Amino acid sequence: MLQHSQFSTDALTAEDRFDAWRERLNSTHVLMQLESECAADFHAHQRLICLGAVSMWPIRCDPLVCLRTPKLIRRSDPEVYHLSLLRNGVARASWGRQGKDYRSGHFHLNDSSRPSKLEIRVASGWMSAIGIEIPKALLPLPQRTVDRAFDLTLSNRTGPGALLWHFMSRLAADTNPYRPSDAPRLATVLADLVSAMLANAVDAESEQPPETRTRVLVLRVKEFIRRNLHDPEMTPSQVAARNHISSSYLHRLFRDEGETVATYIRRQRLDGAHRDLVDPAFAGTPIHVVAARWGFPRASEFTRAFRSSYGVAPSEYRSGVGRDGPDAPRPTSRSW
């Protein structure tokens, strides 16, 4: 499992909570001056996922004001970009005379070297977000290009922003499929996707290194495949056409990944089916319906494929046969 830690104010006394949160945020983000109308009894949760030099942290907290002053920058500047996706709440960020409003579904971009003020409010419940810390040296874009993105609205609804959000949300939801050795590649994936979103926002895709553009294309193709696993008619040629590349180029991309397009599609379908077979929410769903959900319209074909990959029939696996032991099916760690 990836290295991670959790923090919660719940176990602390009301008078200690805000100071503890200040310490936590200053150690996992940057030095900041914090203010809150709820400081007398502040509530916050943070889960820190460490990917080497890159980190990601889902958080929930009460309304908050974060100030990054010139004095704090002089004391400590880790030279990082911070990108967070607001999931619940609204925010107002300002850099001197410039300012921008954010709402759920917007990415907030910040630079540890810039004085800034971020005011976070919620109409009900807690503010929630997922933050990413990326050293500037690891983001494959010139500083001038990143600077142009600060005044823009970066959304998780379309294009590279949607691709980044899908990856972030999957990783935040479940780190179990990943091993510590996966951390460097996951960090590269996050840096590539952030770079792609910023470059797309300022029409500067050509400023990304060719290898970054290639890796992002592979991720985009894989995301398309995952979204369409239910379609039994999905073929490599269809995947290529929908992603505006030639079939030969698609096959070359996957060859460099170490497997064929068809093998990837089959593996993703089987992974999804075997998760459903042990999910209590699908306990009453017939196996042939589970199979059809994942692009296997013929039950006999699904049974053969499942047995070939996992050594037991789907019905046996659902009843508990083959779930334990060294040969038991495991979630794949190659889902990026």
Side-chain angles (χ1 to χ4, degrees):
M1 183 185 299
L2 296 173
Q3 181 184 355
H4 70 283
S5 63
Q6 297 198 51
F7 171 87
S8 175
T9 59
D10 289 353
L12 304 174
T13 63
E15 62 184 9
D16 291 334
R17 288 173 179 165
F18 195 63
D19 287 340
W21 177 240
R22 180 187 293 109
E23 280 188 35
R24 176 71 176 188
L25 209 53
N26 285 346
S27 66
T28 57
H29 182 29
V30 293
L31 293 181
M32 290 184 297
Q33 177 183 329
L34 301 184
E35 302 170 359
S36 176
E37 62 194 41
C38 304
D41 187 16
F42 193 81
H43 292 82
H45 292 258
Q46 183 203 55
R47 185 161 57 92
L48 178 66
I49 303 169
C50 298
L51 305 172
V54 175
S55 63
M56 191 174 86
W57 34 270
I59 65 167
R60 295 177 296 155
C61 70
D62 285 328
L64 190 66
V65 178
C66 306
L67 295 162
R68 177 77 170 152
T69 65
K71 181 179 180 180
L72 291 175
I73 293 171
R74 288 192 296 271
R75 281 181 56 190
S76 173
D77 184 3
E79 294 282 337
V80 298
Y81 292 120
H82 172 80
L83 187 79
S84 57
L85 190 283
L86 195 61
R87 305 172 82 177
N88 182 54
V90 295
R92 171 74 179 175
S94 55
W95 307 273
R97 295 181 179 179
Q98 294 178 301
K100 187 162 187 59
D101 295 315
Y102 301 86
R103 55 179 174 77
S104 178
H106 285 170
F107 288 98
H108 164 240
L109 175 65
N110 208 356
D111 180 337
S112 66
S113 305
R114 283 190 173 200
S116 62
K117 179 180 182 180
L118 181 65
E119 302 173 77
I120 304 168
R121 304 181 304 279
V122 287
S124 61
W126 289 1
M127 182 281 289
S128 66
I130 301 180
I132 307 172
E133 305 284 336
I134 300 179
K136 294 179 182 179
L138 295 186
L139 194 70
L141 278 179
Q143 173 87 47
R144 66 180 184 278
T145 303
V146 179
D147 289 346
R148 289 162 55 196
F150 275 86
D151 298 329
L152 303 177
T153 297
L154 305 169
S155 172
N156 73 337
R157 299 189 183 280
T158 59
L163 192 58
L164 173 61
W165 166 238
H166 291 153
F167 184 82
M168 290 170 60
S169 59
R170 282 198 301 270
L171 184 56
D174 184 14
T175 59
N176 287 322
Y178 304 105
R179 303 178 296 271
S181 59
D182 291 321
R185 184 169 184 185
L186 291 168
T188 298
V189 170
L190 279 172
D192 284 344
L193 290 174
V194 171
S195 169
M197 180 181 70
L198 299 181
N200 177 263
V202 299
D203 295 321
E205 285 91 344
S206 62
E207 295 186 17
Q208 300 175 92
E211 60 271 21
T212 296
R213 296 199 299 270
T214 298
R215 288 193 296 259
V216 171
L217 174 58
V218 171
L219 292 168
R220 192 183 79 202
V221 169
K222 288 183 174 181
E223 184 63 31
F224 172 84
I225 289 172
R226 283 192 291 267
R227 290 199 313 269
N228 291 278
L229 290 172
H230 64 279
D231 180 5
E233 302 301 320
M234 180 172 58
T235 63
S237 59
Q238 181 193 58
V239 172
R242 293 290 299 276
N243 286 275
H244 311 292
I245 58 178
S246 68
S247 293
S248 60
Y249 186 44
L250 175 68
H251 288 297
R252 187 160 68 250
L253 289 174
F254 273 78
R255 186 167 63 247
D256 292 342
E257 290 285 297
E259 65 182 340
T260 67
V261 185
T263 299
Y264 180 80
I265 293 173
R266 181 177 180 273
R267 178 166 60 82
Q268 291 295 317
R269 283 175 168 156
L270 289 170
D271 281 352
H274 94 63
R275 285 194 301 270
D276 283 359
L277 289 174
V278 294
D279 187 338
F282 293 96
T285 304
I287 289 176
H288 74 273
V289 175
V290 171
R293 271 173 43 84
W294 293 100
F296 290 100
R298 290 176 290 278
S300 59
E301 177 190 347
F302 172 63
T303 298
R304 285 195 303 272
F306 195 95
R307 187 189 292 276
S308 174
S309 292
Y310 303 130
V312 295
S315 58
E316 295 173 313
Y317 183 70
R318 172 176 266 180
S319 66
V321 175
R323 286 198 216 164
D324 301 316
D327 297 324
R330 303 295 182 195
T332 178
S333 65
R334 301 180 61 199
S335 59
W336 45 68

